[in-house]
């Protein structure tokens, strides 16, 4: 069952323990799904396991202060239901130093500023080309008019850049350079203590990567599209998470809600 909420994707995985042959109905098909009811949400939050995908953790660096605070508050309320596959933890540490994670706000501000500069320069080029094409480049009135408007455009872009950089400075997390002072790690450590799954053994890991590759060759999710652009061990990440999640669900005999960021 897939439950979609703005900003996140929630996937409920029903666990079944019966060894009896299944009597199939209209919903017993890989492509079938049931629309979630309020009771489904209530049941999963009351008794199910809530599993966080890597992006949920990494997005704590990318969020503004208000969103980060609300997310941590929600996770704190669900603490007794939380569980993290070991593969998620591996990917979290692997990606934490990426410019798009720990330095997300500065990186995005720089990208936006560069795009604004490019737009202003493109506008200048377009106007100059037009003046030349219509033989107005020596017309004082036309040049004065276009220069004035271009100056206003550059001023507006400068004002936007100033606002963007100020907002980035406001939203960026401070003291993330070391793990001892990183506020995200300081919040996650007590929240997830004792709630991290065991890694796969080397043999299990190799087998799962091979299975992920075989499934990808047949277009079977999860993660099959990643094999188009990534090395097998990196591309298999979603499948490794899935394998560990399903094993935990079987072990506990419970439903699972997988929360993954967008």
């Amino acid at each position: 069952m897939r439950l979609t909420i703005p900003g996140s994707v929630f996937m409920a995985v029903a666990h079944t323990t019966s060894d009896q042959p299944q009597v199939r109905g209209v919903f017993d098909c890989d492509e079938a799904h049931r629309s979630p009811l309020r009771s489904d949400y209530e049941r999963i939050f009351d008794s199910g396991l809530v599993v966080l995908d890597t992006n949920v953790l990494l997005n704590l660096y990318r969020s503004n202060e208000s969103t980060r605070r609300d997310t941590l508050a929600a996770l704190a309320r669900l603490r007794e239901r939380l569980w993290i596959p070991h593969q998620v933890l591996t990917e979290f540490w692997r990606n934490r130093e990426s410019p798009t994670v720990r330095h997300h706000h500065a990186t995005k501000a720089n990208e936006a500023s560069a795009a604004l500069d490019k737009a202003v320069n493109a506008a200048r080029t377009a106007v100059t080309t037009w003046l030349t094409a219509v033989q107005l480049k020596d017309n004082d009135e036309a040049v004065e008019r276009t220069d004035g408007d271009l100056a206003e455009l550059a001023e507006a872009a400068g004002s936007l850049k100033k606002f963007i950089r100020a907002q980035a400075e406001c939203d960026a997390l401070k003291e993330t350079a070391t793990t001892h002072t990183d506020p995200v790690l300081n919040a996650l450590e007590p929240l997830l203590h004792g709630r991290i799954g065991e890694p796969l053994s080397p043999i299990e890991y190799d087998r799962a990567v091979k299975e992920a590759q075989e499934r990808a060759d047949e277009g079977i999710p999860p993660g099959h599209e990643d094999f188009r652009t990534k090395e097998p061990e990196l591309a298999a990440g979603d499948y490794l998470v899935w394998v560990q999640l399903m094993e935990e669900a079987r072990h506990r005999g419970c439903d699972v809600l997988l929360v993954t960021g967008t």
Side-chain angles (χ1 to χ4, degrees), residues 54-70:
T54 310
N55 273 336
V56 176
L57 305 182
L58 294 177
N59 281 346
L60 291 169
Y61 291 100
R62 300 176 176 131
S63 303
N64 58 39
E65 176 61 29
S66 175
T67 302
R68 183 165 43 249
R69 183 172 58 250
D70 290 346

Side-chain angles (χ1 to χ4, degrees), residues 8 17 40 46 61 69 74 83 88 123 131 138 141 159 170 181 186 193 222 229 233 242 244 258:
S8 297
T17 58
D40 294 318
D46 285 344
Y61 291 100
R69 183 172 58 250
W83 185 77
V88 166
L131 288 171
D138 296 323
E141 182 179 354
S159 178
C170 177
T181 59
N186 287 339
H193 182 72
T229 58
E233 288 198 6
W242 183 256
Q244 294 174 4
L258 173 63

Side-chain angles (χ1 to χ4, degrees), residues 68-230:
R68 183 165 43 249
R69 183 172 58 250
D70 290 346
T71 300
L72 288 171
L75 295 181
R77 293 185 63 182
L78 291 169
R79 185 179 184 278
E80 298 304 316
R81 305 288 179 201
L82 293 179
W83 185 77
I84 308 295
H86 196 275
Q87 179 65 25
V88 166
L89 192 65
T90 298
E91 294 178 3
F92 170 80
W93 283 102
R94 178 189 298 151
N95 291 286
R96 177 178 172 272
E97 290 298 327
S98 168
T100 61
V101 178
R102 197 164 64 82
H103 309 288
H104 172 79
H105 294 285
T107 298
K108 291 304 178 183
N110 289 337
E111 290 176 357
S113 295
L116 286 169
D117 288 340
K118 184 177 180 180
V120 171
N121 290 332
R124 288 197 182 101
T125 299
V127 171
T128 299
T129 300
W130 173 77
L131 288 171
T132 301
V134 298
Q135 292 84 45
L136 287 176
K137 66 177 182 177
D138 296 323
N139 183 297
D140 292 341
E141 182 179 354
V143 171
E144 182 179 356
R145 166 62 188 276
T146 55
D147 282 352
D149 287 347
L150 287 171
E152 290 183 9
L153 181 62
E155 183 179 356
S159 178
L160 277 172
K161 287 163 59 178
K162 184 177 180 180
F163 169 73
I164 289 169
R165 293 188 184 282
Q167 188 64 43
E169 179 66 23
C170 177
D171 290 336
L173 277 172
K174 308 299 188 292
E175 300 183 325
T176 62
T178 69
T179 59
H180 301 293
T181 59
D182 186 329
V184 169
L185 293 176
N186 287 339
L188 290 179
E189 186 174 18
L191 189 65
L192 301 180
H193 182 72
R195 303 183 185 284
I196 308 295
E198 292 296 319
L200 296 174
S201 70
I203 293 176
E204 292 172 329
Y205 179 86
D206 291 342
R207 181 168 59 242
V209 171
K210 182 180 179 181
E211 290 172 352
Q213 177 71 74
E214 293 171 349
R215 291 165 63 95
D217 292 341
E218 298 180 17
I220 303 174
H224 60 292
E225 294 184 353
D226 289 339
F227 279 86
R228 298 176 183 176
T229 58
K230 298 179 181 179

